[in-house]
Amino acid sequence: MFPLIENRTYNQLIVENLSQITTRHAKHKKFLQANETFPLESHIKLIDFVDQPNPALTRDMRTSLSKSATILADLFLNNTKNLAQYSRYYFQVLFPVLHADKQRPSKSQSYIDRMIVACLTDKSIHKIWLSCHQKDPQSSLDLLSLLHTNETTISGLSSSKELRTIVQQLRTISTEIVDNEENDNVEHREFLSAYSKNDAVVVNKCKANSQFKISSVLKLLVLLYVSFTIYQNWLWLTVAADYLLEDYMKHPTAVVIKERLSNACIETRKLALLSLKHGEEFLRSTMANIEPYAIQYGQYIQKQWNHLLKHIEGPIYDKSAEIAEQIQKLSIIIFNQSVHYLKLLFDWSSYYTANLTYLAEIYITQAYEIVHDKVANFDAKELRENMTLLRVLCLHGYRQNGTLFREKTGSFRKLLKKHVAEFVYIDAPHLIPAQENTNEQDTSVTASNRSNERGWWFSSCEQTYDPLVTTSCDRGFEESVEYVMKYIDEQTTPFDGLLAFSQGAALATLLLARFGATKCPFRFVILIAGFKSGQEQHQSTYNNLQIDLPSLHVIGTGDRVIPSPMSEALVNECYKDAEILRHDGGHFVPTTSEAKLIYTKFLDRFL
């Protein structure tokens, strides 16, 4: 009867109009004319509508609608003359809705029960009951149950013998339908099983409700017991979880994951709050713009109606009331047609919503299967190994860059893939002029890479560098030191070790001297073709320098760029308890099987 309209002001006008009509009829106790029937179907729709969820109905509106439905039901029951005249029609309308697919609230169901019991005052209703029983045997079950529990005296059923007679007739009809092989009706079988004798009722509903209540109580008790157990042992559970996950949660990889998840959560929450804010502002502005016009329109109509009633009296008033009733009937017809098309629209929307829900369920099921497969095949051992692997900062040599150094150490990285999770290569901040040629020239560099050759500092003002010459120029050295130290501080995941080559190894020694023993960010250092800087400004740093950090020094006896005595001097004078890997090669990173054994043995100490 009433559509779910998302306009609270419109619904308020409907509720007030219905309340005025029902109050006026209840006051005069006159609702129907002599030959009019009570609009029972619309009244049933009103009863069901009050209990339907509708965001545009407030609590006061629902209370007013419920009160109007009660007044209409009382008017129906008190009009005995009209009830006796049209009791057959009323019974035919009420009988099918007595058994509802969806359980109604007790208050709403009581309206229908009182109305159908009132129709049974006419004994001729029994024949109509028998004819209706063929289509709705479930309604007969509900009506008989109602009659068994009804304490009031029904004039149409003055004795229990008459009720048993009706039951016997209903059983006869159901038996004939069940015995017919062409119609295997399950509902009639249920009626026969419920009324095995004339007046014996099997109260299956009470048993089912009792079993449901018992199971619900048991589930609630189990839930309370589990909750109480978790509450009592919550401290021990948290302590155990912290102890088991402490090492993993402190690992750099876990810290990064935690930070990224936290940032994603914060951003998602901000976006959701912003969307809710904009949506709320839009709804408020829309309602604020519409509501004044609706209120003004309602006030205008009410004012004109009061003005009309004030100036019309006598026969003109009666004629106006008749015209008003005709207009109201015409409005009801228009409204019912609108409801019909709205219902079609809602059915169409429900159909496509069901299809979309079905498709969403399919995709969610597939996503769940994928996630379940990933979780089922999750390798905890591999994760544990990755979380314990090392992270190393790499400093390239003179006339190199991070990309070129990474390419040259490809075999070296493959040797240590079970020990080092990540090699981080950075570029020196100073570009080298392409025309320069020094002793540390890398002959394997192609012409395309020379445009991006870099160095950590220069030994002359002409932007050149020679590791074999002692000078007083260290142009760009301080900038490189500040650049590397700032890069280390900006890392969210700390480095475990430092890998440096040639001029990068010389810079690494001076960096470690500046950090000192207490503030050093590394656990170990690997220097390849390292040497002491020849600049006069750096010599004071080497005085009495003993770096107490696990170190591995790779020295090539055939190295022509950095002769091996320069590397030996760096180890003997600046490092304490250093390990040395000597090879017969030149100025490169060795990756032989003997070198691999020394590398892995050195790194095993830090896993």
Side-chain angles (χ1 to χ4, degrees):
M1 180 179 180
F2 296 95
L4 300 178
I5 300 175
E6 301 296 335
N7 191 319
R8 185 169 294 181
T9 305
Y10 173 78
N11 289 341
Q12 183 67 34
L13 293 175
I14 292 179
V15 172
E16 290 179 356
N17 189 19
L18 182 61
S19 178
Q20 292 176 2
I21 293 173
T22 54
T23 304
R24 184 171 65 251
H25 288 306
K27 183 178 179 180
H28 297 288
K29 296 182 180 179
K30 183 180 179 182
F31 180 61
L32 300 174
Q33 300 296 330
N35 297 322
E36 289 184 344
T37 58
F38 185 82
L40 199 56
E41 295 179 353
S42 299
H43 185 258
I44 294 172
K45 292 181 180 179
L46 174 61
I47 292 174
D48 293 336
F49 175 73
V50 174
D51 302 317
Q52 289 179 0
N54 189 345
L57 284 179
T58 62
R59 181 180 298 177
D60 295 336
M61 292 182 188
R62 293 184 185 276
T63 304
S64 179
L65 288 174
S66 179
K67 184 178 178 181
S68 299
T70 304
I71 294 174
L72 291 173
D74 292 336
L75 290 173
F76 173 82
L77 295 173
N78 294 331
N79 196 347
T80 56
K81 185 178 179 180
N82 182 272
L83 186 60
Q85 184 179 359
Y86 298 104
S87 58
R88 296 184 179 183
Y89 166 71
Y90 295 149
F91 184 84
Q92 291 177 352
V93 175
L94 290 170
F95 187 79
V97 300
L98 186 63
H99 178 74
D101 295 334
K102 296 182 179 178
Q103 188 69 26
R104 293 190 183 92
S106 57
K107 185 176 180 180
S108 301
Q109 187 65 34
S110 65
Y111 294 150
I112 300 176
D113 295 342
R114 289 166 57 196
M115 290 179 179
I116 198 168
V117 169
C119 294
L120 292 174
T121 55
D122 187 1
K123 291 187 177 182
S124 61
I125 298 297
H126 302 167
K127 296 181 180 179
I128 299 177
W129 185 358
L130 296 177
S131 62
C132 294
H133 175 73
Q134 297 179 1
K135 296 182 180 180
D136 298 302
Q138 292 292 338
S139 297
S140 294
L141 280 174
D142 294 336
L143 181 55
L144 288 172
S145 177
L146 177 62
L147 294 177
H148 277 288
T149 57
N150 193 9
E151 298 178 357
T152 60
T153 303
I154 303 173
S155 59
L157 298 173
S158 58
S159 64
S160 59
K161 183 178 179 181
E162 293 181 0
L163 182 60
R164 287 197 296 272
T165 302
I166 294 174
V167 172
Q168 180 62 34
Q169 293 174 354
L170 295 175
R171 291 183 68 254
T172 302
I173 295 173
S174 296
T175 304
E176 291 177 356
I177 294 175
V178 171
D179 292 341
N180 187 1
E181 296 181 356
E182 297 179 358
N183 298 322
D184 188 10
N185 197 304
V186 179
E187 295 180 352
H188 284 283
R189 290 183 181 274
E190 293 180 358
F191 179 83
L192 291 175
S193 63
Y195 284 88
S196 57
K197 296 180 180 180
N198 289 345
D199 56 350
V201 182
V202 180
V203 192
N204 294 327
K205 293 184 179 180
C206 295
K207 292 183 179 180
N209 292 334
S210 177
Q211 293 178 357
F212 175 76
K213 292 180 180 179
I214 293 173
S215 62
S216 300
V217 171
L218 291 176
K219 291 179 181 179
L220 179 61
L221 291 176
V222 171
L223 180 61
L224 290 175
Y225 175 75
V226 173
S227 302
F228 181 73
T229 304
I230 295 175
Y231 173 77
Q232 280 188 326
N233 300 280
W234 180 253
L235 179 61
W236 297 106
L237 291 174
T238 53
V239 170
D242 291 339
Y243 175 76
L244 294 174
L245 301 176
E246 181 178 5
D247 294 337
Y248 294 122
M249 295 306 295
K250 289 183 179 180
H251 192 273
T253 305
V255 172
V256 172
I257 294 174
K258 184 177 180 182
E259 290 179 354
R260 292 181 179 178
L261 289 176
S262 178
N263 294 334
C265 180
I266 293 172
E267 293 298 329
T268 304
R269 184 176 181 182
K270 289 181 180 179
L271 182 59
L273 291 176
L274 185 61
S275 301
L276 288 175
K277 181 179 179 181
H278 289 311
E280 183 179 1
E281 291 177 354
F282 176 74
L283 290 176
R284 288 182 182 276
S285 62
T286 304
M287 293 304 297
N289 293 331
I290 294 175
E291 188 171 3
Y293 296 103
I295 294 174
Q296 290 178 5
Y297 177 74
Q299 292 176 351
Y300 175 77
I301 296 297
Q302 186 68 31
K303 182 178 179 181
Q304 296 299 325
W305 177 254
N306 293 334
H307 181 74
L308 182 63
L309 292 179
K310 183 178 179 180
H311 294 85
I312 296 178
E313 297 178 356
I316 300 178
Y317 176 80
D318 296 337
K319 189 65 176 179
S320 301
E322 183 179 352
I323 295 173
E325 289 181 358
Q326 293 178 359
I327 294 174
Q328 186 178 8
K329 291 181 179 179
L330 180 62
S331 300
I332 291 174
I333 294 174
I334 296 173
F335 190 78
N336 288 333
Q337 291 297 323
S338 301
V339 170
H340 172 70
Y341 288 109
L342 283 173
K343 184 178 179 182
L344 292 178
L345 177 62
F346 295 152
D347 292 341
W348 177 80
S349 301
S350 301
Y351 172 76
Y352 283 99
T353 302
N355 290 339
L356 291 175
T357 304
Y358 176 72
L359 293 176
E361 182 180 0
I362 293 175
Y363 289 119
I364 291 173
T365 303
Q366 293 179 352
Y368 172 78
E369 291 177 353
I370 294 173
V371 173
H372 182 270
D373 181 66
K374 294 293 184 181
V375 173
N377 299 326
F378 177 71
D379 190 357
K381 182 178 180 181
E382 181 180 356
L383 176 61
R384 195 179 300 110
E385 290 178 354
N386 291 334
M387 292 184 68
T388 57
L389 296 183
L390 304 173
R391 191 166 185 258
V392 178
L393 176 63
C394 305
L395 304 180
H396 60 80
Y398 189 71
R399 279 198 176 280
Q400 290 184 343
N401 53 53
T403 303
L404 184 59
F405 190 36
R406 178 181 179 84
E407 294 175 356
K408 288 183 173 296
T409 56
S411 300
F412 176 77
R413 286 185 285 110
K414 290 181 181 179
L415 292 178
L416 304 179
K417 63 182 180 180
K418 294 184 178 180
H419 293 73
V420 180
E422 183 181 9
F423 288 92
V424 180
Y425 295 84
I426 62 175
D427 294 334
H430 306 296
L431 286 171
I432 300 174
Q435 69 274 12
E436 184 200 344
N437 188 11
T438 65
N439 291 335
E440 201 176 344
Q441 176 81 24
D442 192 346
T443 58
S444 63
V445 179
T446 61
S448 61
N449 291 326
R450 293 193 184 279
S451 60
N452 194 28
E453 292 178 340
R454 295 177 175 269
W456 298 104
W457 75 89
F458 302 104
S459 60
S460 68
C461 297
E462 290 79 13
Q463 294 186 357
T464 61
Y465 181 76
D466 190 346
L468 306 180
V469 178
T470 301
T471 65
S472 60
C473 177
D474 63 346
R475 185 176 181 179
F477 174 77
E478 291 297 333
E479 290 84 348
S480 296
V481 171
E482 293 178 359
Y483 168 72
V484 176
M485 296 179 70
K486 181 180 179 182
Y487 184 84
I488 295 173
D489 292 338
E490 291 175 349
Q491 298 297 305
T492 56
T493 303
F495 291 107
D496 296 294
L498 178 63
L499 172 67
F501 178 75
S502 192
Q503 190 190 35
L507 176 65
T509 301
L510 296 172
L511 275 174
L512 295 176
R514 289 204 179 188
F515 282 125
T518 58
K519 298 182 180 180
C520 182
F522 304 106
R523 299 164 59 195
F524 64 88
V525 61
I526 300 177
L527 302 182
I528 304 171
F531 61 93
K532 292 173 62 178
S533 172
Q535 279 57 61
E536 296 177 356
Q537 295 89 330
H538 304 163
Q539 301 309 311
S540 59
T541 305
Y542 295 120
N543 294 334
N544 299 322
L545 177 62
Q546 286 293 310
I547 298 175
D548 190 9
L549 182 71
S551 61
L552 175 62
H553 299 264
V554 181
I555 302 174
T557 57
D559 194 340
R560 298 182 180 180
V561 179
I562 305 297
S564 58
M566 294 178 65
S567 300
E568 297 282 355
L570 176 67
V571 176
N572 297 329
E573 297 177 12
C574 301
Y575 286 88
K576 183 178 180 180
D577 299 331
E579 298 184 24
I580 301 176
L581 167 59
R582 295 183 178 86
H583 62 95
D584 297 334
H587 198 60
F588 60 87
V589 181
T591 56
T592 61
S593 57
E594 293 82 0
K596 178 181 178 181
L597 292 175
I598 297 176
Y599 292 145
T600 55
K601 182 179 179 181
F602 176 75
L603 294 177
D604 283 340
R605 300 156 53 186
F606 308 103
L607 295 178

